[in-house]
Amino acid sequence: MTTSTTNDVLLRAGQAGLFDGVRASGISGIWRTGLLAAATWLLLGLITLRWPNKEVGFSDWAFTDEFGYAAVAVAVLLAVLALSGDRAGRVAQLLRPAGQWLVAAPLLLGIWEILTAKLGVLPTPFFAPPQSLIEVYSEDWRRLGISTGYSLRLLVHGFAAGGLVGFLVGATIGWSRVAGYWVHPVLRFLGPVPASALLPLAFFFAPSSYAAAVFLIALATSFPVAVLTWSGVASVNKSYYDVARTLGASEWFLILRVAIPAALPQVFVGLFMGLGAAFSVLVTAEMMGVKAGLGWYLQWAQGWAAYSNMYAALIVMAILCSSLITLLFKVRDRALSWQKGTVKW
């Protein structure tokens, strides 16, 4: 190889390395969306702190300064992460996919703050600024926490009972023609009836208001679980049973090791639907007779015109429901690892 050829090779290698370095610096450079998010959070903080609140019927909204300083602190944190690039580590990697939401959130909070605390366009007490939620969570956290615990206990009892009954009923009518002949018409007739419509009967026949609430939640949960379990068991490919029988499988083996595993994807879909129905019945049941819970808390807040408390309870309820669905998806992905990622949440 001649000297000129060697120099050309080295020059090309150097240029390739330079281009690779440029590409790497572009990947690990400044997070522009993060800087934009930091600017919007800073703007929210300045609006909250510098723009005086409009006094309507009382001295001022509490925790206004705390809310403003918290927004400024978020702005500083996002700016540091945005300027750090890859040096920010795992935190920046987790936040970058949510970059546009980090920009939209302070804009929405700013509009909310201006329309309520600053201009008073939205009338009080029906509408309150974001800092009112801080006041509720800091001063009424004990009552709200106890209500959340009671609701979670009631939901778990009702959902577990309804899921178990619905699974057994669905597997039975999906496997047995006799059970399908007698039970399926009853399920089609009574299943679509809203569980809340049976509220008076449940409270009359149940020994306690808690038992009535558990029954109603279980009833709302069991219908979608039963229908989808029945559909899953009935739609299993008949060749699976033929192969298992050829190998000497018993009737119970066919049910427990062939039919039910094949129907599990639809069973979990029924559980997801049942959980949503259980939450709607949970609020109704707690409003009617249970002495504690998020539904009771909502009714209490409405009775006292404490709408900030009502909004705080709704946020807690949304977080609780979303967390339980996420947990159910984790269980599903673990039980059905071969189907992981086919259903998104």
Side-chain angles (χ1 to χ4, degrees):
M1 182 181 294
T2 62
T3 303
S4 60
T5 304
T6 304
N7 292 336
D8 291 342
V9 171
L10 293 175
L11 179 61
R12 291 172 184 174
Q15 291 174 344
L18 178 61
F19 291 149
D20 290 340
V22 171
R23 294 192 191 98
S25 63
I27 295 174
S28 61
I30 295 175
W31 179 26
R32 296 182 179 180
T33 307
L35 285 178
L36 180 59
T40 53
W41 280 100
L42 180 61
L43 179 61
L44 172 63
L46 294 176
I47 290 175
T48 304
L49 294 171
R50 299 298 182 183
W51 191 340
N53 292 339
K54 182 177 181 179
E55 299 181 6
V56 181
F58 51 87
S59 59
D60 200 357
W61 292 106
F63 291 90
T64 297
D65 291 342
E66 289 81 354
F67 178 64
Y69 289 130
V72 173
V74 173
V76 172
L77 177 61
L78 287 174
V80 171
L81 292 175
L83 295 173
S84 298
D86 284 347
R87 292 174 295 175
R90 186 174 180 82
V91 177
Q93 294 178 1
L94 293 175
L95 289 179
R96 287 198 178 199
Q100 295 181 9
W101 275 107
L102 292 174
V103 176
L107 294 177
L108 295 175
L109 289 173
I111 295 173
W112 181 7
E113 176 75 14
I114 292 172
L115 293 178
T116 52
K118 306 307 179 183
L119 297 179
V121 175
L122 299 177
T124 58
F126 304 103
F127 298 95
Q131 56 263 35
S132 64
L133 299 178
I134 302 176
E135 182 178 4
V136 173
Y137 291 133
S138 61
E139 297 183 356
D140 203 29
W141 63 270
R142 187 180 300 275
R143 183 184 306 173
L144 190 56
I146 292 174
S147 298
T148 303
Y150 273 95
S151 291
L152 184 60
R153 185 186 67 171
L154 177 59
L155 182 68
V156 169
H157 288 169
F159 180 74
L164 179 61
V165 172
F167 174 77
L168 294 176
V169 170
T172 301
I173 64 177
W175 180 260
S176 172
R177 292 185 178 179
V178 176
Y181 178 81
W182 291 104
V183 180
H184 184 216
V186 177
L187 187 66
R188 292 183 61 180
F189 181 72
L190 295 178
V193 176
S196 56
L198 303 177
L199 195 65
L201 293 176
F203 279 102
F204 179 79
F205 288 106
S208 65
S209 59
Y210 185 84
V214 170
F215 169 74
L216 291 174
I217 294 173
L219 186 64
T221 304
S222 61
F223 176 63
V225 175
V227 170
L228 285 163
T229 302
W230 159 64
S231 177
V233 172
S235 61
V236 175
N237 196 327
K238 303 302 180 183
S239 61
Y240 296 166
Y241 299 132
D242 296 336
V243 173
R245 288 191 181 99
T246 302
L247 298 175
S250 63
E251 195 77 3
W252 282 108
F253 185 92
L254 294 176
I255 296 173
L256 298 177
R257 302 298 298 273
V258 178
I260 291 177
L264 278 180
Q266 289 179 274
V267 173
F268 275 100
V269 175
L271 289 173
F272 296 140
M273 296 175 62
L275 185 57
F279 246 96
S280 61
V281 176
L282 169 73
V283 177
T284 304
E286 287 182 335
M287 284 183 173
M288 295 300 294
V290 178
K291 297 180 180 180
L294 290 173
W296 171 88
Y297 189 92
L298 287 173
Q299 190 177 35
W300 168 83
Q302 291 175 2
W304 288 95
Y307 292 98
S308 298
N309 296 67
M310 185 184 71
Y311 297 142
L314 289 174
I315 293 175
V316 171
M317 191 175 296
I319 294 174
L320 180 62
C321 183
S322 179
S323 300
L324 290 175
I325 294 178
T326 301
L327 178 61
L328 191 57
F329 261 89
K330 296 291 184 183
V331 174
R332 178 197 179 278
D333 289 341
R334 189 171 183 84
L336 305 176
S337 57
W338 50 277
Q339 268 202 340
K340 185 175 181 180
T342 56
V343 181
K344 301 294 185 181
W345 168 249

